Amino acid sequence: MRTKRLWATAGLLGLTTLLGSGAAFAAPGDDDKGRTDAGTSFRTATPIDQGQKGTATASTGDYLYWSFPADAGQRPRVEATVKLPESARGTGATWRIDVYDGLRRRQACRYGMQARTAGTASSVELACTLRTVRAWSEPWANDPLPGTYYVRLTATGLRTADLGQPVTAEVKATSKDVGGAAAVDGTLGAPLVPGTRPGSDSEPEDGWSSGWWTDRWVWTGIGGVLAALAGVGGYTLTRGTGRATSAGNSPSGV
């Protein structure tokens, strides 16, 4: 009887410990905002902020996804570094990054090494600079618009024997603020931010821009003031010349 009580007590203690440890393991998953390890599809893409580094520990043949927000007037640039162990070198695989907008339309790179063959190098450096994000566009156009952008990193041209080789990767998205030079007379009704996983956030820290205010208004105002001053100055000079001419043409002896 005593033995049965001991076993029962031990079972209760074990169950309590298991539940407690389960809660401890579940807690980090409740808030994955700090997690940057890559997702494996558009729907599971890991959100990162501009300037934040995304990471991945994966295998050759995997598709790795991250997402980041980009606003109107910004020119995003995505950089990626893939580190290859000795066993993954010399396979002839080509590593590639592609960037898609919130509608999952592939966006062309203006410049940058978007794809590169690994060869025997220990790492591969990739980069893609997009066109400037516009506040508004025609429905038929493929212009980059404010919202979520997806980064996909993968290797192509792999042989069957090369699949599953361990690799590590890092990505980082930054942007250059182009300003009023890229402003257009129109605004998007809402940023292209598709539904994301609960707890994820695809919005910039300082929110989305209003879409109508750019530094172009400042330069327009300065131009208007200068034009007004030039008009006043020209009128003053012309008026003075007219008076001098009239006085010189007046009849003598009057």
Side-chain angles (χ1 to χ4, degrees):
M1 193 68 180
R2 186 177 180 182
T3 304
K4 291 182 178 179
R5 287 180 180 178
L6 289 175
W7 279 109
T9 303
L12 288 174
L13 289 175
L15 180 60
T16 303
T17 303
L18 181 60
L19 292 175
S21 62
F25 284 117
D30 294 339
D31 184 9
D32 61 350
K33 202 169 185 179
R35 187 178 66 87
T36 61
D37 199 44
T40 56
S41 67
F42 284 104
R43 295 188 62 183
T44 61
T46 300
I48 57 175
D49 296 324
Q50 290 195 26
Q52 182 183 8
K53 187 177 293 183
T55 60
T57 301
S59 303
T60 52
D62 291 343
Y63 285 82
L64 308 175
Y65 289 82
W66 296 266
S67 66
F68 68 94
D71 209 348
Q74 295 182 342
R75 183 177 296 163
R77 176 178 174 84
V78 179
E79 298 174 310
T81 301
V82 183
K83 297 180 180 179
L84 307 170
E86 189 73 32
S87 59
R89 302 174 195 173
T91 61
T94 299
W95 286 89
R96 178 184 180 91
I97 53 172
D98 294 290
V99 184
Y100 300 81
D101 64 11
L103 297 178
R104 300 183 185 179
R105 301 176 303 181
R106 182 177 172 275
Q107 293 294 322
C109 300
R110 289 189 62 191
Y111 49 84
M113 186 64 70
Q114 184 181 5
R116 177 172 286 174
T117 302
T120 58
S122 60
S123 64
V124 178
E125 304 285 340
L126 304 170
C128 173
T129 300
L130 302 179
R131 296 171 293 166
T132 304
V133 178
R134 295 164 55 90
W136 179 84
S137 179
E138 295 289 346
W140 46 263
N142 194 36
D143 296 320
L145 296 171
T148 300
Y149 283 77
Y150 296 93
V151 181
R152 184 178 71 182
L153 173 65
T154 190
T156 60
L158 289 168
R159 300 170 300 182
T160 303
D162 300 329
L163 295 173
Q165 297 291 337
V167 295
T168 58
E170 295 179 351
V171 299
K172 186 177 182 180
T174 56
S175 66
K176 178 181 179 181
D177 191 0
V178 179
V184 295
D185 296 326
T187 58
L188 196 66
L192 301 180
V193 182
T196 55
R197 305 189 315 277
S200 63
D201 189 4
S202 298
E203 182 174 335
E205 292 183 357
D206 54 353
W208 299 101
S209 67
S210 59
W212 66 272
W213 173 258
T214 66
D215 56 6
R216 185 176 64 172
W217 291 100
V218 177
W219 291 108
T220 301
I222 294 174
V225 172
L226 293 177
L229 292 175
V232 172
Y235 174 75
T236 302
L237 291 175
T238 304
R239 187 180 181 186
T241 303
R243 285 183 174 178
T245 303
S246 299
N249 293 337
S250 62
S252 60
V254 178

